[in-house]
Amino acid sequence: MHPVDFFMGLMSTDIGIDLGTANTLVCLPGRGVVLSEPTVVAVRPGTNKVLLGGKAVGNTAKAMLEKAPDTISVIRPLKHGVIADFDITEALLKYFIQKVHKRKWGLRPRLIIAIPSGITAVERRAVVNSSERAGAREVYLVSEPKAAAIGIGLPISEPVAHMIVDIGGGTTEVAVLSLGDIFTHVSLRVAGDEMDEAIVHYVRNNYNMDIGYRTAENIKLEIGSAYPMEEEVTMDIKGRVTISGLPRATVMSSEEVREALRGPVEHIANAVKTVLERTVPELASDLLEYGMVMVGGGSLLRGLDKFLAEETGMAVRIAEDPLTAVARGTGILLENLDIYKDVLQNEEVEV
């Protein structure tokens, strides 16, 4: 390592990042999650120049989503958990690194980045390259199910099976872990974004009305469910008539939203069943005892835990603070790199 890089590294705090399709969370050793913002960047069309002096990232950029004129491009640089736009991802990472350090100069931190377990070697390399160009001196990758399990305190190094269901914005990760590694897993590109899309299609097909994805997300959060609710509710929604293009308001019920979400929810349930079918009997018996743990924003969909329990016959619980589980795991890994070296061994990409 160059002496200047070594010196700058001493001045930089190592960072754990949950680089998600919908949201990015940053964790610092000993401090926990210090930043959580949407994975969105606003730039000038045809350029990589981030607006507002490089600050049109995260919450600022999301406020522009689906509302920006042609002179502004609002980009989500990750799709289904993988990088779709390298330059914009680099700008995003650089912004978050500088924001948590509160300065722009002398930054050469080590990064641990959580990624979907199903991405290819080429996609993994893309994450490393973007991170290095953003200023990292050293990059480790860890699969999201491992990071989540560590973040919620599961003893994954023991010869006991634990099951993680991580439902994010772009991917759903279902994994069985034992002895510090993933025994079997399914990485499904059906998650929160597909739920929003399903609501958009349902409204268009049943109400002849177009709504935006942000509106669909609000509908999901406000009245969405995967299992019958004790008291069904309704919500006023606003959009545009498909044929005339005129504004229109209507009322949508929670039963309708549940019907709209049935496809993505059943896909997730089938992924869980597939992982269970691939699990050997000895580990399956552990799962019967310990059940499965849900993390990620999608785990907060009302009744999804009940739906999966009914479909699989297993106990299902939602982790405490499921939105930050993966990010917290990266922070714990940074604090205990020597202890978890074996966990990272198969995850690191050779530079």
Side-chain angles (χ1 to χ4, degrees):
M1 180 184 292
H2 193 281
V4 173
D5 283 350
F6 176 75
F7 177 70
M8 292 305 183
L10 292 177
M11 298 172 62
S12 303
T13 302
D14 295 336
I15 299 173
I17 299 178
D18 175 10
L19 186 61
T21 303
N23 295 287
T24 295
L25 286 80
V26 177
C27 188
L28 296 181
R31 291 178 55 191
V33 177
V34 296
L35 184 149
S36 174
E37 293 197 32
T39 310
V40 185
V41 182
V43 299
R44 289 291 177 201
T47 75
N48 300 320
K49 185 174 176 58
V50 181
L51 299 177
L52 304 180
K55 295 182 179 179
V57 178
N59 290 320
T60 303
K62 187 173 182 180
M64 305 177 189
L65 204 59
E66 298 186 295
K67 295 184 177 181
D70 293 340
T71 53
I72 298 174
S73 292
V74 185
I75 300 170
R76 295 179 64 185
L78 273 76
K79 187 172 179 62
H80 298 304
V82 299
I83 294 175
D85 191 313
F86 300 98
D87 293 331
I88 301 300
T89 301
E90 179 186 338
L92 177 94
L93 288 169
K94 190 176 294 184
Y95 169 84
F96 287 139
I97 290 170
Q98 292 173 353
K99 187 167 184 177
V100 297
H101 279 95
K102 295 182 171 58
R103 68 178 194 270
K104 294 185 177 182
W105 56 272
L107 299 177
R108 298 288 291 166
R110 288 187 301 183
L111 300 186
I112 290 184
I113 299 181
I115 56 171
S117 54
I119 71 174
T120 66
V122 172
E123 291 165 340
R124 289 155 64 94
R125 164 56 59 188
V127 176
V128 172
N129 287 345
S130 292
S131 302
E132 289 175 340
R133 288 197 302 268
R137 78 179 189 276
E138 199 173 352
V139 182
Y140 296 92
L141 303 182
V142 61
S143 65
E144 290 170 355
K146 280 188 191 179
I150 292 167
I152 63 176
L154 293 181
I156 66 168
S157 296
E158 296 179 3
V160 177
H162 295 279
M163 187 176 207
I164 291 286
V165 180
D166 178 9
I167 307 170
T171 61
T172 294
E173 304 282 313
V174 185
V176 172
L177 301 99
S178 178
L179 290 170
D181 210 344
I182 292 176
F183 178 82
T184 185
H185 79 279
V186 167
S187 186
L188 184 69
R189 298 192 174 189
V190 174
D193 287 350
E194 280 63 33
M195 292 181 188
D196 299 341
E197 193 170 331
I199 293 172
V200 168
H201 288 309
Y202 184 92
V203 173
R204 182 179 300 144
N205 294 335
N206 290 272
Y207 287 94
N208 294 317
M209 184 170 138
D210 287 327
I211 60 172
Y213 287 96
R214 289 182 65 186
T215 298
E217 182 183 23
N218 288 334
I219 293 169
K220 177 184 69 180
L221 295 175
E222 291 292 327
I223 63 171
S225 66
Y227 198 83
M229 299 165 63
E230 288 185 12
E231 185 177 339
E232 301 293 350
V233 292
T234 61
M235 178 179 176
D236 294 331
I237 63 171
K238 298 173 183 177
R240 183 184 66 183
V241 177
T242 307
I243 299 172
S244 68
L246 296 174
R248 179 185 169 191
T250 189
V251 177
M252 194 171 184
S253 70
S254 52
E255 292 101 326
E256 289 177 296
V257 180
R258 187 161 57 250
E259 175 63 25
L261 295 175
R262 185 169 63 177
V265 166
E266 288 181 349
H267 270 103
I268 292 169
N270 289 335
V272 172
K273 291 176 186 177
T274 298
V275 169
L276 291 172
E277 289 166 4
R278 295 176 183 172
T279 304
V280 297
E282 286 300 320
L283 294 181
S285 64
D286 290 339
L287 298 181
L288 271 178
E289 182 176 351
Y290 297 109
M292 72 181 83
V293 186
M294 296 172 60
V295 299
S299 67
L300 297 176
L301 179 67
R302 294 171 189 81
L304 184 54
D305 53 341
K306 293 179 181 178
F307 181 83
L308 291 178
E310 194 171 275
E311 289 289 306
T312 62
M314 289 176 56
V316 181
R317 69 180 176 92
I318 301 171
E320 185 178 347
D321 198 3
L323 289 166
T324 66
V326 172
R328 283 185 281 129
T330 64
I332 293 169
L333 284 166
L334 281 170
E335 293 170 13
N336 304 277
L337 273 178
D338 291 338
I339 297 173
Y340 288 108
K341 199 169 184 180
D342 291 341
V343 171
L344 290 169
Q345 210 166 41
N346 297 326
E347 304 287 343
E348 188 180 358
V349 174
E350 293 297 328
V351 180

